[in-house]
Amino acid sequence: MSVNTTTTWCDPVTCPFCGDKLASPGAGFIDHIHDNTDCERGFDHWRENIAGDLAGEWSG
Ligand SMILES: [Zn+2]
C-alpha cells in the first residue's frame, strides 16, 4: 500500500484529517468519513490529488 504520496498519512488507524482514532485501517476510515463530512471532503480532495498515481487503489 502506497498512501504516503502527498499527505502526512503515516498512521493507518488515525484519520489524517481530524486526527481521530479509527476502528480499523481502511474500512474503519470509510465508516469514519461517512460520519464526518469535513473528513469526507478532505478525503475526496486528497483522492483526486493522487488519482493519477493510485488509480483504483481505494475503490473497495
Ligand atoms: Zn476524521
Side-chain angles (χ1 to χ4, degrees):
M1 194 156 159
S2 47
V3 289
N4 56 346
T5 345
T6 53
T7 332
T8 54
W9 200 336
C10 48
D11 187 350
V13 293
T14 301
C15 175
F17 303 110
C18 72
D20 261 12
K21 275 273 190 212
L22 304 176
S24 65
F29 178 68
I30 301 302
D31 286 346
H32 174 79
I33 63 174
H34 282 168
D35 292 339
N36 295 273
T37 311
D38 284 348
C39 299
E40 184 170 33
R41 237 187 322 231
F43 176 62
D44 282 346
H45 186 70
W46 172 81
R47 192 169 50 183
E48 281 169 21
N49 280 343
I50 64 159
D53 295 332
L54 291 178
E57 184 85 10
W58 275 75
S59 57

